[in-house]
Amino acid sequence: FYVANGILDWNYTGLAEYGGNFFHISNGVLDWNYSGLSYYQGNWWYVSNGVIDWSYTGLTNYYGTWYYVTNGYLDWNVTTLTYFYDAWYYVENGVLNWNYTGLAEYCGGYYHIANGVLDWGYTGLSYYYGDWYYVTNGCIDWNYTGLTNYYGTWYYVVGGYLDWSVTTLTFYGDTWYYVESGAINWNSDTLCYYGDTWYYVKGGTVAWDYTGWVEYYGGNYYITNGYLDWSKQ
């Protein structure tokens, strides 16, 4: 039983120190069956079978919220990924964050989180500290350069990173597309320099079927089948 100031305290629930260890009290009685969080002097600790379990690191549920324990102690400063029952979860400031969708760093790798859970099936863009990265099967793919569709807009990725400064042509499927400031510009009507050649772009793609004059920054240039034809100048 838990005694405070010489009186058995039936109202107390929390930890009590005794003989160099800490035990969980439920309504004044040591509860050997209790496993979970227990409060003591401003901090929360993880209890297993009535005693603080200093060896436990991982998740525990307390009144519907999942908390992260490190060596028996609920550390509010921890942000990490943790493995629990066949899945990886995203912990932010000591609590499993079901609302988070984006990248998380763990042991040198970056993984895509969807609503608090690592999504191994995800391929596409993912957000992290102000930037967008390309993910393949849940991990950043640093080898990928090309287009990707995200909510109806086509973006251009360079080495796994969405680079807003890029203006270029890129081949995708069976078509050459015009990327301006990191995304396909479907309203384009311009010339684009690519691989030592100037191309005429209209409506987001190279206009291979166009032959004629175009205006570009105050000058007039002749296009033959989509190429700038210097012999006609």
Side-chain angles (χ1 to χ4, degrees), residues 70-104:
T70 305
N71 295 325
Y73 172 67
L74 199 169
D75 188 349
W76 300 102
N77 295 316
V78 170
T79 295
T80 188
L81 293 181
T82 187
Y83 190 74
F84 188 74
Y85 282 94
D86 298 327
W88 286 88
Y89 296 90
Y90 177 69
V91 172
E92 185 175 24
N93 297 325
V95 182
L96 200 162
N97 186 351
W98 297 106
N99 297 316
Y100 182 73
T101 296
L103 288 175

Side-chain angles (χ1 to χ4, degrees), residues 24 30 53 55 58 61 64 79 86-87 106 108 124-125 130 153 178 183-185 188:
H24 179 75
L30 197 160
D53 185 352
S55 66
N61 190 293
T79 295
D86 298 327
Y106 182 74
L125 292 178
T153 299
Y178 176 64
I184 291 180
N185 182 355
S188 57

Side-chain angles (χ1 to χ4, degrees), residues 114-181:
N115 297 319
V117 184
L118 198 162
D119 186 355
W120 295 107
Y122 181 76
T123 295
L125 292 178
S126 190
Y127 188 76
Y128 189 70
Y129 282 96
D131 291 308
W132 292 88
Y133 298 87
Y134 184 75
V135 170
T136 299
N137 296 327
C139 306
I140 286 184
D141 186 350
W142 301 108
N143 296 316
Y144 183 74
T145 295
L147 293 172
T148 185
N149 189 296
Y150 187 74
Y151 287 94
T153 299
W154 287 90
Y155 297 94
Y156 187 71
V157 173
V158 181
Y161 172 69
L162 199 169
D163 188 346
W164 299 101
S165 68
V166 171
T167 295
T168 187
L169 295 179
T170 187
F171 190 72
Y172 186 80
D174 58 356
T175 304
W176 283 91
Y177 294 92
Y178 176 64
V179 172
E180 184 177 27
S181 300

